[in-house]
Amino acid sequence: MISDGGATRHSVLSEVQRLVDLLGVPYFTTGMGKGGVDETKPKFGGVYAGMGSKADVREAVENSDCVIWVGYYPSDFNAGEFTDKVKSDVVTEIERFPVSEAAEAGEGVDEFPVYTLRERRHNLRDTVDTRIHVAALRRILDPNNLMVVETGTAQTGIQETKYPVGVIAYTQTVFGSIRYVTGASVGVFLARREKGGINRNILMTIDGSLQLTVQGFSDLLRHGLKPIIFVLNNAGFAVERMIHGMHEKYNDIPTWKYTRLLDTFGVWYEKKTYQMRTCQDWNRLLQEERLHEADVIQLVEIFLDPYDAPKALHLVDAALDAVTAN
């Protein structure tokens, strides 16, 4: 089974989880569907994104003789730049209204192989890179956290970890949606505050995206939403570097003092900021009580090498290069 973005958008996640538990088969999400099902159970296999997937995930999904796909969302980032290769004749697709059955059902099997992604464990002593900050973020997350994640390196990087049970996550796997996350988080956090059940709001964005819609910080402050904001600072547009010129100047952006932005957009509000340059910085942050209490708005700036990128992006970039070469 695959739980995709449509399952999240149409609020059928509890039904999807019940179906997964009832069937007892291996299950996966896409990038847009991540956070929609329980990622702690042994039959959760990880995130499927075409060539942007781990090898064991691709093998399990693309070689299956029966795939139940809930809320299919075939966008560029969600499908690994359209490198997904699930055989259409084995897919039963469940959408909000229609259900399209597989053209030919494969023979039943008594037991499915279980594929799991094994997270790398880091002692947080090395130089900070995408792997390190994702591993550290996993240690920060708690049940009943609400995450809103920017498309691009933030969204593809978070695929490398597993959310605790009860984390609610929203992301958009459409490349053209870059920048929307900051403003969209205001509405998401407000709605969830009215609904209740959330103990901490988390916004993960990227420097290039944030520079387009940073005024959303004013609304976060004005409404007293107090999220924890992670800003990945890689000095430009990392995805564009990967696919449209690694060293082109048009993929660079001006350097901002991100930890001063909350003062700029809301002078009288209490806030707290941090900068992550080393793994020792992460170790100190993990011990920070106010980060876990989330009683004030907080911003964590994470410094990354301009050419650092999640493994999923490297896989997709290599696949696109191969297609171009042919």
Side-chain angles (χ1 to χ4, degrees):
M1 278 193 65
I2 301 176
S3 181
D4 206 339
T8 303
R9 295 300 189 268
H10 297 303
S11 301
V12 293
L13 296 178
S14 60
E15 291 86 349
V16 171
Q17 188 66 57
R18 287 201 298 272
L19 183 58
V20 164
D21 295 339
L22 178 65
L23 294 177
V25 299
Y27 61 99
F28 306 81
T29 70
T30 61
M32 192 170 174
K34 184 168 175 59
V37 290
D38 187 346
E39 300 183 8
T40 66
K41 294 188 175 183
K43 289 203 172 183
F44 175 69
V47 178
Y48 178 68
M51 293 294 291
S53 316
K54 297 289 183 68
D56 55 353
V57 172
R58 287 181 55 211
E59 180 183 357
V61 174
E62 295 177 1
N63 293 329
S64 176
D65 64 357
C66 178
V67 176
I68 301 173
W69 202 316
V70 184
Y72 180 47
Y73 198 91
S75 65
D76 44 13
F77 275 13
N78 209 39
E81 292 294 337
F82 305 109
T83 59
D84 51 328
K85 296 181 180 179
V86 182
K87 298 184 290 289
S88 60
D89 59 349
V90 303
V91 175
T92 294
E93 188 177 328
I94 303 175
E95 301 299 336
R96 183 178 183 182
F97 297 111
V99 174
S100 57
E101 296 185 45
E104 181 179 345
E107 294 183 5
V109 294
D110 294 328
E111 185 174 343
F112 282 80
V114 177
Y115 297 86
T116 58
L117 294 181
R118 294 175 176 82
E119 294 186 62
R120 297 177 180 175
R121 299 188 179 276
H122 304 282
N123 57 16
L124 299 186
R125 292 180 299 174
D126 304 317
T127 304
V128 172
D129 60 14
T130 296
R131 297 175 302 114
I132 294 294
H133 89 74
V134 168
L137 180 66
R138 175 62 180 83
R139 291 165 59 180
I140 290 172
L141 292 176
D142 295 320
N144 300 319
N145 285 178
L146 172 60
M147 290 190 66
V148 183
V149 182
E150 177 62 287
T151 192
T153 51
Q155 183 262 317
T156 52
I158 206 66
Q159 294 178 13
E160 307 259 340
T161 191
K162 295 180 181 178
Y163 292 151
V165 177
V167 168
I168 299 173
Y170 295 99
T171 188
Q172 178 62 278
T173 52
V174 178
F175 182 68
S177 69
I178 180 176
R179 77 187 177 278
Y180 279 100
V181 70
T182 303
S185 71
V186 178
V188 174
F189 295 155
L190 277 172
R192 282 290 173 175
R193 184 169 68 183
E194 293 178 5
K195 188 173 183 179
I198 296 298
N199 58 19
R200 191 168 55 167
N201 294 322
I202 296 174
L203 166 62
M204 179 174 285
T205 187
I206 317 167
D207 53 357
S209 303
L210 182 60
Q211 290 196 11
L212 296 168
T213 53
V214 67
Q215 66 272 22
F217 280 7
S218 281
D219 287 326
L220 290 170
L221 288 161
R222 182 167 64 93
H223 292 292
L225 292 169
K226 303 176 183 177
I228 299 168
I229 304 167
F230 291 93
V231 179
L232 307 185
N233 184 348
N234 52 21
F237 298 104
V239 174
E240 290 292 313
R241 288 188 181 118
M242 294 288 295
I243 62 178
H244 288 305
M246 185 64 75
H247 302 287
E248 298 295 342
K249 297 298 292 183
Y250 51 70
N251 289 325
D252 300 335
I253 60 174
T255 300
W256 285 11
K257 295 182 177 179
Y258 293 99
T259 53
R260 297 188 183 181
L261 290 175
L262 294 177
D263 279 330
T264 300
F265 286 96
V267 176
W268 307 116
Y269 297 89
E270 185 179 4
K271 71 274 296 183
K272 194 167 177 60
T273 62
Y274 317 85
Q275 290 184 318
M276 301 294 105
R277 296 179 182 274
T278 67
C279 293
Q280 287 71 30
D281 292 335
W282 270 114
N283 281 322
R284 286 189 290 270
L285 182 68
L286 292 170
Q287 304 302 316
E288 178 63 48
E289 291 185 5
R290 299 202 80 170
L291 189 78
H292 297 280
E293 294 170 356
D295 57 343
V296 298
I297 190 169
Q298 300 174 72
L299 187 146
V300 182
E301 182 179 8
I302 304 168
F303 290 88
L304 298 171
D305 187 278
Y307 307 111
D308 181 48
K311 183 177 181 180
L313 274 182
H314 285 285
L315 292 171
V316 171
D317 183 54
L320 292 177
D321 285 346
V323 171
T324 303
N326 293 329

